[in-house]
Amino acid sequence: LGNARTVRNDNSSRFGKFIEIIFRDNDRPAASHSSIPASFTLSGARIRTFLLERVRVAKHDDGERSFHIFYMLFSDGLQGYDKGAFLLDDMEDFSYLNQSDTWDRRDGLLDVDLMEELLTALRDMDFSQEEIDGIFRAAAAVLWLGNVEFEDRAAGTADGAFVAPQAADALANAAELLGVDAEALTTALCFRQTVVGAETYQNQIDANTATHSRDALAKFFYQGIFEHTVRRVNSVIGAGVAPSSAAAAEAGTTPALRRQASKIGYTESFIGLLDIFGFETFHVNGFEQFLINYANESLQHFFNKYVFETEQQEYEKENISWTYIKFADNKATLDLIESRAGGVLGLLDEQCLAPGGTDLRFLEGLIRKHGGAASAQDPEARFFVTNAMRAAQSFGVVHYAGRVAYDVEEFVEKNRDTLRAEVQALLGGSKDELVRAYNNLGGQREQASAGAGGSR
């Protein structure tokens, strides 16, 4: 669900994860201060995910695929399944898949075999048949959403977009799989609700805005599918972590589990494994590469601080003789990105909140704050832009791993990436219980992202 073929990797994890391999100390209660070494028993694990590249649902580049699950739905690995239940036709007919004309993998692995492995894994994780069917129906619904196209009404008629006649079947199939009324789905995608006092008004939007609304719904809903699946896996592999697997799944975070465990004298230790995207730089770098490199920049700073700076301070306190290790401090780059007063993210958020905010205005704001072409000649500057870059609407950041130029196209839209309340409310009223569950989990992550400024 979270892996895809990229230009460089046929099975790239397009999300970050922190895996805790948890051990329980059964020999010593939590309040004990015994110096006797404890014996630990492997009791379970937890997975926490972040930065799912959900934009890949709606868009991917040449030579790449969207998430594997979409292609696996069309394979012969669904033995015993009625593919008609997912309303799927030919894979090449789906807009979310045919953007790059890339259908297979280069590593010799076949989608038919991977689907069989996925089915086995889901059953091993105690997924019910209803839950498995629900995942496949939901993924199919996302594909059908991508085929819903819009047109603007002719001049002189009522303003706003409508679903194109050739997309009527796609709309009907998406609505059926989502368990909602097709007309209600049309209204949610083609109208924006405005609340003034106690009154609610519906305003029509243009076809371009409706398309963005459709893509936001598809990405939001897929996020919910992904989150629900991870949570269900955690409820199984974390069964030995807390007094009950249900409590472990509900608590969901380490502090909550630890507070609960401490009440019964339970002690917990874990080995943590962090797996995130590596530093990325391509011929064209967009918003996704910016976020990935920002995460790597933050990790590098953490590493510098605790492996070099803090450790050497301890050496000084203990009067240990050693040769001081010099290291490059990347705090200036983080300040450039994070500062609320003129940082890249701060200026980007301003454009997201401002009426008529655009990528070009975001770039102009960066240049005014951090300098124009002269910045490219300053060896101390973490921001750079040349006249050619400015003409191409891009800016550069000097990262710890090197200089990277970012194309600002769609920075504002991707950072905003919000789902309108009326669309989310529609899914909340679905006849399908699993759709409602996916909607709720997507909503929780959406609120967390909004609190941090969009997709971050």
PDB file of all heavy atoms in Angstrom, residues 24-53:
ATOM      1  N   ARG A  24       9.860  -7.078  27.001  1.00  0.00           N
ATOM      2  CA  ARG A  24       9.256  -6.953  28.315  1.00  0.00           C
ATOM      3  C   ARG A  24      10.166  -7.585  29.362  1.00  0.00           C
ATOM      4  O   ARG A  24      10.689  -8.677  29.160  1.00  0.00           O
ATOM      5  CB  ARG A  24       7.890  -7.635  28.339  1.00  0.00           C
ATOM      6  CG  ARG A  24       7.197  -7.545  29.687  1.00  0.00           C
ATOM      7  CD  ARG A  24       5.789  -8.061  29.599  1.00  0.00           C
ATOM      8  NE  ARG A  24       5.107  -7.931  30.873  1.00  0.00           N
ATOM      9  CZ  ARG A  24       3.816  -8.176  31.057  1.00  0.00           C
ATOM     10  NH1 ARG A  24       3.076  -8.580  30.040  1.00  0.00           N
ATOM     11  NH2 ARG A  24       3.269  -8.025  32.229  1.00  0.00           N
ATOM     12  N   ASP A  25      10.333  -6.875  30.481  1.00  0.00           N
ATOM     13  CA  ASP A  25      11.127  -7.374  31.600  1.00  0.00           C
ATOM     14  C   ASP A  25      10.165  -8.028  32.588  1.00  0.00           C
ATOM     15  O   ASP A  25       9.457  -7.345  33.326  1.00  0.00           O
ATOM     16  CB  ASP A  25      11.898  -6.219  32.241  1.00  0.00           C
ATOM     17  CG  ASP A  25      12.662  -6.642  33.487  1.00  0.00           C
ATOM     18  OD1 ASP A  25      12.717  -7.865  33.732  1.00  0.00           O
ATOM     19  OD2 ASP A  25      13.169  -5.766  34.195  1.00  0.00           O
ATOM     20  N   ASN A  26      10.163  -9.330  32.634  1.00  0.00           N
ATOM     21  CA  ASN A  26       9.264 -10.034  33.547  1.00  0.00           C
ATOM     22  C   ASN A  26       9.897 -10.320  34.892  1.00  0.00           C
ATOM     23  O   ASN A  26       9.215 -10.749  35.825  1.00  0.00           O
ATOM     24  CB  ASN A  26       8.827 -11.370  32.920  1.00  0.00           C
ATOM     25  CG  ASN A  26       7.961 -11.167  31.696  1.00  0.00           C
ATOM     26  OD1 ASN A  26       7.032 -10.375  31.733  1.00  0.00           O
ATOM     27  ND2 ASN A  26       8.280 -11.862  30.615  1.00  0.00           N
ATOM     28  N   ASP A  27      11.222 -10.078  35.015  1.00  0.00           N
ATOM     29  CA  ASP A  27      11.928 -10.442  36.248  1.00  0.00           C
ATOM     30  C   ASP A  27      11.905  -9.351  37.295  1.00  0.00           C
ATOM     31  O   ASP A  27      12.118  -9.600  38.477  1.00  0.00           O
ATOM     32  CB  ASP A  27      13.391 -10.762  35.933  1.00  0.00           C
ATOM     33  CG  ASP A  27      13.519 -11.975  35.022  1.00  0.00           C
ATOM     34  OD1 ASP A  27      12.561 -12.779  35.005  1.00  0.00           O
ATOM     35  OD2 ASP A  27      14.545 -12.099  34.339  1.00  0.00           O
ATOM     36  N   ARG A  28      11.672  -8.107  36.876  1.00  0.00           N
ATOM     37  CA  ARG A  28      11.788  -7.012  37.826  1.00  0.00           C
ATOM     38  C   ARG A  28      10.633  -6.052  37.630  1.00  0.00           C
ATOM     39  O   ARG A  28      10.389  -5.577  36.519  1.00  0.00           O
ATOM     40  CB  ARG A  28      13.113  -6.278  37.596  1.00  0.00           C
ATOM     41  CG  ARG A  28      13.400  -5.208  38.637  1.00  0.00           C
ATOM     42  CD  ARG A  28      14.824  -4.681  38.496  1.00  0.00           C
ATOM     43  NE  ARG A  28      15.035  -3.931  37.277  1.00  0.00           N
ATOM     44  CZ  ARG A  28      15.983  -4.199  36.399  1.00  0.00           C
ATOM     45  NH1 ARG A  28      16.801  -5.217  36.580  1.00  0.00           N
ATOM     46  NH2 ARG A  28      16.126  -3.467  35.321  1.00  0.00           N
ATOM     47  N   PRO A  29       9.853  -5.724  38.671  1.00  0.00           N
ATOM     48  CA  PRO A  29       8.749  -4.770  38.533  1.00  0.00           C
ATOM     49  C   PRO A  29       9.271  -3.380  38.244  1.00  0.00           C
ATOM     50  O   PRO A  29      10.443  -3.076  38.447  1.00  0.00           O
ATOM     51  CB  PRO A  29       8.054  -4.837  39.902  1.00  0.00           C
ATOM     52  CG  PRO A  29       9.115  -5.313  40.840  1.00  0.00           C
ATOM     53  CD  PRO A  29       9.958  -6.264  40.037  1.00  0.00           C
ATOM     54  N   ALA A  30       8.376  -2.543  37.765  1.00  0.00           N
ATOM     55  CA  ALA A  30       8.768  -1.201  37.320  1.00  0.00           C
ATOM     56  C   ALA A  30       9.401  -0.388  38.433  1.00  0.00           C
ATOM     57  O   ALA A  30      10.270   0.433  38.195  1.00  0.00           O
ATOM     58  CB  ALA A  30       7.544  -0.478  36.769  1.00  0.00           C
ATOM     59  N   ALA A  31       8.970  -0.591  39.709  1.00  0.00           N
ATOM     60  CA  ALA A  31       9.453   0.229  40.820  1.00  0.00           C
ATOM     61  C   ALA A  31      10.789  -0.257  41.360  1.00  0.00           C
ATOM     62  O   ALA A  31      11.393   0.375  42.218  1.00  0.00           O
ATOM     63  CB  ALA A  31       8.416   0.231  41.939  1.00  0.00           C
ATOM     64  N   SER A  32      11.267  -1.417  40.895  1.00  0.00           N
ATOM     65  CA  SER A  32      12.489  -1.990  41.429  1.00  0.00           C
ATOM     66  C   SER A  32      13.709  -1.204  40.983  1.00  0.00           C
ATOM     67  O   SER A  32      13.764  -0.697  39.880  1.00  0.00           O
ATOM     68  CB  SER A  32      12.620  -3.442  40.966  1.00  0.00           C
ATOM     69  OG  SER A  32      13.889  -3.947  41.312  1.00  0.00           O
ATOM     70  N   HIS A  33      14.696  -1.129  41.907  1.00  0.00           N
ATOM     71  CA  HIS A  33      15.961  -0.464  41.564  1.00  0.00           C
ATOM     72  C   HIS A  33      17.108  -1.463  41.649  1.00  0.00           C
ATOM     73  O   HIS A  33      18.244  -1.109  41.888  1.00  0.00           O
ATOM     74  CB  HIS A  33      16.216   0.719  42.496  1.00  0.00           C
ATOM     75  CG  HIS A  33      15.171   1.783  42.397  1.00  0.00           C
ATOM     76  ND1 HIS A  33      15.102   2.654  41.336  1.00  0.00           N
ATOM     77  CD2 HIS A  33      14.130   2.090  43.205  1.00  0.00           C
ATOM     78  CE1 HIS A  33      14.078   3.495  41.505  1.00  0.00           C
ATOM     79  NE2 HIS A  33      13.466   3.163  42.625  1.00  0.00           N
ATOM     80  N   SER A  34      16.766  -2.732  41.447  1.00  0.00           N
ATOM     81  CA  SER A  34      17.769  -3.780  41.546  1.00  0.00           C
ATOM     82  C   SER A  34      18.843  -3.577  40.495  1.00  0.00           C
ATOM     83  O   SER A  34      18.567  -3.168  39.374  1.00  0.00           O
ATOM     84  CB  SER A  34      17.108  -5.146  41.355  1.00  0.00           C
ATOM     85  OG  SER A  34      18.097  -6.146  41.221  1.00  0.00           O
ATOM     86  N   SER A  35      20.071  -3.865  40.865  1.00  0.00           N
ATOM     87  CA  SER A  35      21.170  -3.764  39.919  1.00  0.00           C
ATOM     88  C   SER A  35      21.412  -5.068  39.179  1.00  0.00           C
ATOM     89  O   SER A  35      22.300  -5.159  38.342  1.00  0.00           O
ATOM     90  CB  SER A  35      22.458  -3.357  40.659  1.00  0.00           C
ATOM     91  OG  SER A  35      22.781  -4.349  41.636  1.00  0.00           O
ATOM     92  N   ILE A  36      20.603  -6.094  39.518  1.00  0.00           N
ATOM     93  CA  ILE A  36      20.748  -7.381  38.848  1.00  0.00           C
ATOM     94  C   ILE A  36      20.284  -7.247  37.400  1.00  0.00           C
ATOM     95  O   ILE A  36      19.186  -6.749  37.140  1.00  0.00           O
ATOM     96  CB  ILE A  36      19.913  -8.469  39.565  1.00  0.00           C
ATOM     97  CG1 ILE A  36      20.388  -8.612  41.020  1.00  0.00           C
ATOM     98  CG2 ILE A  36      20.010  -9.801  38.827  1.00  0.00           C
ATOM     99  CD1 ILE A  36      19.545  -9.560  41.826  1.00  0.00           C
ATOM    100  N   PRO A  37      21.085  -7.669  36.445  1.00  0.00           N
ATOM    101  CA  PRO A  37      20.668  -7.563  35.047  1.00  0.00           C
ATOM    102  C   PRO A  37      19.353  -8.294  34.799  1.00  0.00           C
ATOM    103  O   PRO A  37      19.143  -9.399  35.310  1.00  0.00           O
ATOM    104  CB  PRO A  37      21.827  -8.231  34.288  1.00  0.00           C
ATOM    105  CG  PRO A  37      22.991  -8.157  35.220  1.00  0.00           C
ATOM    106  CD  PRO A  37      22.428  -8.260  36.595  1.00  0.00           C
ATOM    107  N   ALA A  38      18.476  -7.656  34.073  1.00  0.00           N
ATOM    108  CA  ALA A  38      17.169  -8.249  33.799  1.00  0.00           C
ATOM    109  C   ALA A  38      17.247  -9.125  32.558  1.00  0.00           C
ATOM    110  O   ALA A  38      18.095  -8.937  31.697  1.00  0.00           O
ATOM    111  CB  ALA A  38      16.133  -7.155  33.589  1.00  0.00           C
ATOM    112  N   SER A  39      16.360 -10.098  32.490  1.00  0.00           N
ATOM    113  CA  SER A  39      16.209 -10.864  31.262  1.00  0.00           C
ATOM    114  C   SER A  39      14.972 -10.356  30.552  1.00  0.00           C
ATOM    115  O   SER A  39      13.932 -10.151  31.178  1.00  0.00           O
ATOM    116  CB  SER A  39      16.070 -12.349  31.574  1.00  0.00           C
ATOM    117  OG  SER A  39      14.889 -12.594  32.314  1.00  0.00           O
ATOM    118  N   PHE A  40      15.088 -10.135  29.276  1.00  0.00           N
ATOM    119  CA  PHE A  40      13.993  -9.534  28.518  1.00  0.00           C
ATOM    120  C   PHE A  40      13.415 -10.558  27.555  1.00  0.00           C
ATOM    121  O   PHE A  40      14.117 -11.417  27.029  1.00  0.00           O
ATOM    122  CB  PHE A  40      14.488  -8.316  27.743  1.00  0.00           C
ATOM    123  CG  PHE A  40      14.873  -7.160  28.627  1.00  0.00           C
ATOM    124  CD1 PHE A  40      16.181  -7.018  29.061  1.00  0.00           C
ATOM    125  CD2 PHE A  40      13.924  -6.239  29.036  1.00  0.00           C
ATOM    126  CE1 PHE A  40      16.542  -5.966  29.877  1.00  0.00           C
ATOM    127  CE2 PHE A  40      14.275  -5.181  29.848  1.00  0.00           C
ATOM    128  CZ  PHE A  40      15.577  -5.043  30.289  1.00  0.00           C
ATOM    129  N   THR A  41      12.122 -10.421  27.314  1.00  0.00           N
ATOM    130  CA  THR A  41      11.411 -11.280  26.380  1.00  0.00           C
ATOM    131  C   THR A  41      10.810 -10.426  25.280  1.00  0.00           C
ATOM    132  O   THR A  41      10.187  -9.403  25.565  1.00  0.00           O
ATOM    133  CB  THR A  41      10.282 -12.050  27.094  1.00  0.00           C
ATOM    134  OG1 THR A  41      10.838 -12.827  28.149  1.00  0.00           O
ATOM    135  CG2 THR A  41       9.546 -12.960  26.114  1.00  0.00           C
ATOM    136  N   LEU A  42      11.017 -10.838  24.037  1.00  0.00           N
ATOM    137  CA  LEU A  42      10.397 -10.133  22.921  1.00  0.00           C
ATOM    138  C   LEU A  42       8.885 -10.258  23.054  1.00  0.00           C
ATOM    139  O   LEU A  42       8.339 -11.361  23.121  1.00  0.00           O
ATOM    140  CB  LEU A  42      10.857 -10.744  21.601  1.00  0.00           C
ATOM    141  CG  LEU A  42      10.257 -10.147  20.327  1.00  0.00           C
ATOM    142  CD1 LEU A  42      10.676  -8.686  20.183  1.00  0.00           C
ATOM    143  CD2 LEU A  42      10.700 -10.947  19.106  1.00  0.00           C
ATOM    144  N   SER A  43       8.212  -9.114  23.133  1.00  0.00           N
ATOM    145  CA  SER A  43       6.767  -9.149  23.394  1.00  0.00           C
ATOM    146  C   SER A  43       5.927  -8.577  22.267  1.00  0.00           C
ATOM    147  O   SER A  43       4.707  -8.735  22.267  1.00  0.00           O
ATOM    148  CB  SER A  43       6.446  -8.382  24.684  1.00  0.00           C
ATOM    149  OG  SER A  43       6.810  -7.021  24.571  1.00  0.00           O
ATOM    150  N   GLY A  44       6.520  -7.902  21.318  1.00  0.00           N
ATOM    151  CA  GLY A  44       5.707  -7.350  20.239  1.00  0.00           C
ATOM    152  C   GLY A  44       6.435  -6.243  19.508  1.00  0.00           C
ATOM    153  O   GLY A  44       7.648  -6.066  19.639  1.00  0.00           O
ATOM    154  N   ALA A  45       5.671  -5.491  18.749  1.00  0.00           N
ATOM    155  CA  ALA A  45       6.247  -4.394  17.970  1.00  0.00           C
ATOM    156  C   ALA A  45       5.170  -3.355  17.697  1.00  0.00           C
ATOM    157  O   ALA A  45       3.975  -3.617  17.852  1.00  0.00           O
ATOM    158  CB  ALA A  45       6.840  -4.915  16.668  1.00  0.00           C
ATOM    159  N   ARG A  46       5.614  -2.183  17.296  1.00  0.00           N
ATOM    160  CA  ARG A  46       4.706  -1.105  16.891  1.00  0.00           C
ATOM    161  C   ARG A  46       5.298  -0.415  15.675  1.00  0.00           C
ATOM    162  O   ARG A  46       6.514  -0.296  15.551  1.00  0.00           O
ATOM    163  CB  ARG A  46       4.524  -0.068  18.011  1.00  0.00           C
ATOM    164  CG  ARG A  46       3.448  -0.373  19.022  1.00  0.00           C
ATOM    165  CD  ARG A  46       3.171   0.853  19.895  1.00  0.00           C
ATOM    166  NE  ARG A  46       4.346   1.266  20.630  1.00  0.00           N
ATOM    167  CZ  ARG A  46       4.640   0.849  21.868  1.00  0.00           C
ATOM    168  NH1 ARG A  46       3.851  -0.014  22.470  1.00  0.00           N
ATOM    169  NH2 ARG A  46       5.711   1.285  22.494  1.00  0.00           N
ATOM    170  N   ILE A  47       4.440   0.064  14.821  1.00  0.00           N
ATOM    171  CA  ILE A  47       4.877   0.822  13.641  1.00  0.00           C
ATOM    172  C   ILE A  47       4.205   2.179  13.662  1.00  0.00           C
ATOM    173  O   ILE A  47       2.979   2.265  13.813  1.00  0.00           O
ATOM    174  CB  ILE A  47       4.494   0.088  12.330  1.00  0.00           C
ATOM    175  CG1 ILE A  47       5.067  -1.327  12.315  1.00  0.00           C
ATOM    176  CG2 ILE A  47       4.986   0.876  11.124  1.00  0.00           C
ATOM    177  CD1 ILE A  47       4.551  -2.164  11.163  1.00  0.00           C
ATOM    178  N   ARG A  48       5.002   3.208  13.539  1.00  0.00           N
ATOM    179  CA  ARG A  48       4.448   4.555  13.378  1.00  0.00           C
ATOM    180  C   ARG A  48       4.905   5.092  12.020  1.00  0.00           C
ATOM    181  O   ARG A  48       6.080   4.992  11.673  1.00  0.00           O
ATOM    182  CB  ARG A  48       4.902   5.464  14.517  1.00  0.00           C
ATOM    183  CG  ARG A  48       4.094   5.247  15.794  1.00  0.00           C
ATOM    184  CD  ARG A  48       4.501   6.228  16.871  1.00  0.00           C
ATOM    185  NE  ARG A  48       5.702   5.786  17.563  1.00  0.00           N
ATOM    186  CZ  ARG A  48       6.326   6.517  18.480  1.00  0.00           C
ATOM    187  NH1 ARG A  48       5.875   7.715  18.777  1.00  0.00           N
ATOM    188  NH2 ARG A  48       7.402   6.047  19.084  1.00  0.00           N
ATOM    189  N   THR A  49       3.977   5.643  11.283  1.00  0.00           N
ATOM    190  CA  THR A  49       4.287   6.093   9.927  1.00  0.00           C
ATOM    191  C   THR A  49       4.123   7.604   9.810  1.00  0.00           C
ATOM    192  O   THR A  49       3.400   8.234  10.587  1.00  0.00           O
ATOM    193  CB  THR A  49       3.378   5.407   8.894  1.00  0.00           C
ATOM    194  OG1 THR A  49       2.017   5.798   9.124  1.00  0.00           O
ATOM    195  CG2 THR A  49       3.489   3.891   9.005  1.00  0.00           C
ATOM    196  N   PHE A  50       4.783   8.160   8.809  1.00  0.00           N
ATOM    197  CA  PHE A  50       4.679   9.588   8.558  1.00  0.00           C
ATOM    198  C   PHE A  50       5.081   9.873   7.119  1.00  0.00           C
ATOM    199  O   PHE A  50       5.738   9.059   6.464  1.00  0.00           O
ATOM    200  CB  PHE A  50       5.558  10.392   9.523  1.00  0.00           C
ATOM    201  CG  PHE A  50       6.979   9.907   9.606  1.00  0.00           C
ATOM    202  CD1 PHE A  50       7.966  10.431   8.807  1.00  0.00           C
ATOM    203  CD2 PHE A  50       7.323   8.897  10.500  1.00  0.00           C
ATOM    204  CE1 PHE A  50       9.272   9.983   8.867  1.00  0.00           C
ATOM    205  CE2 PHE A  50       8.635   8.435  10.571  1.00  0.00           C
ATOM    206  CZ  PHE A  50       9.609   8.978   9.759  1.00  0.00           C
ATOM    207  N   LEU A  51       4.656  11.014   6.631  1.00  0.00           N
ATOM    208  CA  LEU A  51       5.047  11.500   5.301  1.00  0.00           C
ATOM    209  C   LEU A  51       4.693  10.522   4.180  1.00  0.00           C
ATOM    210  O   LEU A  51       5.487  10.323   3.247  1.00  0.00           O
ATOM    211  CB  LEU A  51       6.553  11.800   5.246  1.00  0.00           C
ATOM    212  CG  LEU A  51       7.022  13.195   5.684  1.00  0.00           C
ATOM    213  CD1 LEU A  51       8.530  13.324   5.532  1.00  0.00           C
ATOM    214  CD2 LEU A  51       6.325  14.292   4.900  1.00  0.00           C
ATOM    215  N   LEU A  52       3.510   9.913   4.229  1.00  0.00           N
ATOM    216  CA  LEU A  52       3.077   9.126   3.076  1.00  0.00           C
ATOM    217  C   LEU A  52       3.009  10.048   1.859  1.00  0.00           C
ATOM    218  O   LEU A  52       2.393  11.111   1.906  1.00  0.00           O
ATOM    219  CB  LEU A  52       1.708   8.498   3.334  1.00  0.00           C
ATOM    220  CG  LEU A  52       1.089   7.750   2.143  1.00  0.00           C
ATOM    221  CD1 LEU A  52       1.888   6.488   1.837  1.00  0.00           C
ATOM    222  CD2 LEU A  52      -0.374   7.406   2.419  1.00  0.00           C
ATOM    223  N   GLU A  53       3.625   9.633   0.780  1.00  0.00           N
ATOM    224  CA  GLU A  53       3.662  10.451  -0.438  1.00  0.00           C
ATOM    225  C   GLU A  53       2.319  10.322  -1.173  1.00  0.00           C
ATOM    226  O   GLU A  53       2.237   9.792  -2.271  1.00  0.00           O
ATOM    227  CB  GLU A  53       4.812  10.006  -1.338  1.00  0.00           C
ATOM    228  CG  GLU A  53       5.094  10.945  -2.488  1.00  0.00           C
ATOM    229  CD  GLU A  53       6.130  10.378  -3.448  1.00  0.00           C
ATOM    230  OE1 GLU A  53       6.174   9.152  -3.640  1.00  0.00           O
ATOM    231  OE2 GLU A  53       6.899  11.169  -3.996  1.00  0.00           O
TER     232      GLU A  53
END
